[in-house]
Amino acid sequence: MKRVLLGLTAVTLLTATGMTVHGSSHREALAILNEPCADNTDTYAWVSNAAHDKLYLIMDFNPLHEPGQGNQGLRACNGYRYEFHIAKGKSLEDQVVYRVEFTNKLTPEAAPSPTDPLGGGNELLWQLTGGTETMKVTQLQEDNDRDDDSVVLGRNLKVLPNNHGPQTDRLVYGLGPFKGYDSGDPSSRENGLYDQPFVDTFIHSLSNGGRIIAGQFDDPYQLDEKGIFDLVNLNRDDLGGIPGARRPPGKDVFTGFNIFSIALEVPMSDIFPHGIPHNGQLNATSTDSLIRVWSRIMRRETQTVDTHNIITGLRGSGDWVQVGRNALPLFNAGLVGTQRQTLYLHTSPMHDVSNFGADILFPVLVRDAEALGIYAALGVPPATVATLKGPRADIINAINLGRPIPIADGFTGDVLTIDASIDSSFPNGRRVGGGTAPNRNQVNVNSVLISLIVAGNPAAGLAKGVEVNDKDYLDRFPFLAPAHQGLLQGHGGINVPTVPNIPVP
């Protein structure tokens, strides 16, 4: 913490922006609170080890789903376009875009009658209605809507259904024989059959040699949000043991929650048709093997109430507009001020330097840490604190991987930068899992974030919070852990005894 930052040099760097944060963005902006289908939370992008012949892309959205909540569960979102944008080299201009669109269908039928068979639109639960959820995957060579510039990689691909519980596993998914209440055998109500082999049946091959799966998964992210959002109320383990901090442990608020995920595997030949430059060799001064990745969500500009649309109740019209985006996920939640967070969601990384430069160069979090007495408790000299307040051009080099990328609109922005010629390791991309244990990520991005901003040193070890997931990740595609079961997992309780006051240590 006492390390004085070096390299905070030129006034010409004051417009640098947009790239330091590596956490998560669950419901980060006021505009997103009313539109969970447009709420990107995390984006992951990395290349396969050794040959680097595959690019893995994961987009999470529609967060904080309680597994047992809602008679319709967690559904794919009609009327939206979910896109991965990929640029190459120094520029942030799109070279390839992968677009995923979902379609939910439910066949209308007459009102109930005494002779209705089981199933159909009069059922109370989606899984009994015969409703379908499918997706279409399209590749565009640039960001545009012209059909002649796009290639459909897959259509009518089934979406992974929710992990509701044992009876759904048997009666709807056909995973085992069903025994009713009258059997005297409770196994059909207590023993779930939703497993990884079942999930794998929803991995679909694409015409370009890639694969995709989309649906409900365990949220792969961890964060002690309870402390973060009580005005950075970190515990002693996060702050070098200072006695004035609250008692540990930190708690992961995403434990037991599911999220909607799109996991996409694409051949690297889509991006480098002539091969990755100097593949297998690090050239630390080059940009020719770099790919720059971000994700966005779009919908029609005008949404009109439409009672004939039994899925969404809306009819979209007008131009397609961006309503969500994400790359280095906590960028909008942890650095951009509240009054500009909606602007972030609706704009491109191409303009991040102009739009959000001051948010990065003069991080509010440093000012807040000083006001809370963190620096005083750690004995950090005032001169060091003044340096940490900015301008913070030191952050740019790390996120741009030390490469000669111009600090200007169109080149530097909130994207994941990946050197495709070498194995990915954060900040060179960001992957799911890959840590020292099956339930650990490769890097604790929260600690990197807070340490970088507050201490000026990403290895300072601040804000470790929680570093393990509540489920093991896969060591293969799609890497995400299966969803928590609605019946016997997630949250909920008997509410006895109640705890009316804050518990004592």
Side-chain angles (χ1 to χ4, degrees), residues 152-170:
V152 176
L153 302 179
R155 64 171 78 244
N156 298 321
L157 306 177
K158 290 184 178 180
V159 173
L160 173 68
N162 295 343
N163 186 3
H164 290 289
Q167 290 202 153
T168 300
D169 294 345
R170 292 165 171 81

Side-chain angles (χ1 to χ4, degrees), residues 416-431:
L416 288 166
T417 296
I418 307 165
D419 187 340
S421 70
I422 60 175
D423 290 354
S424 298
S425 180
F426 183 81
N428 176 26
R430 182 188 179 196
R431 65 159 296 165

Side-chain angles (χ1 to χ4, degrees), residues 138-153:
T138 306
Q139 178 181 331
L140 301 91
Q141 289 308 116
E142 297 176 354
D143 177 21
N144 59 62
D145 297 317
R146 293 173 54 189
D147 292 338
D148 56 348
D149 288 330
S150 65
V151 177
V152 176
L153 302 179

Side-chain angles (χ1 to χ4, degrees), residues 400-451:
N400 281 349
L401 306 184
R403 307 304 168 87
I405 297 172
I407 303 171
D409 281 342
F411 300 94
T412 287
D414 179 22
V415 297
L416 288 166
T417 296
I418 307 165
D419 187 340
S421 70
I422 60 175
D423 290 354
S424 298
S425 180
F426 183 81
N428 176 26
R430 182 188 179 196
R431 65 159 296 165
V432 171
T436 56
N439 65 342
R440 284 181 176 264
N441 284 305
Q442 192 178 46
V443 173
N444 182 338
V445 294
N446 300 314
S447 183
V448 170
L449 161 70
I450 302 297
S451 296

Side-chain angles (χ1 to χ4, degrees), residues 18-79:
M19 43 248 106
T20 70
V21 186
H22 318 285
S24 185
S25 298
H26 294 64
R27 298 178 180 172
E28 81 280 18
L30 294 173
I32 215 67
L33 296 177
N34 295 328
E35 197 166 7
C37 285
D39 186 359
N40 310 62
T41 64
D42 286 279
T43 302
Y44 301 85
W46 73 100
V47 300
S48 57
N49 288 340
H52 313 136
D53 57 343
K54 302 290 185 183
L55 174 64
Y56 295 110
L57 302 165
I58 293 177
M59 180 195 310
D60 293 335
F61 59 94
N62 202 348
L64 297 168
H65 182 253
E66 171 57 48
Q69 181 183 26
N71 58 340
Q72 310 307 341
L74 182 65
R75 301 264 70 82
C77 295
N78 275 12

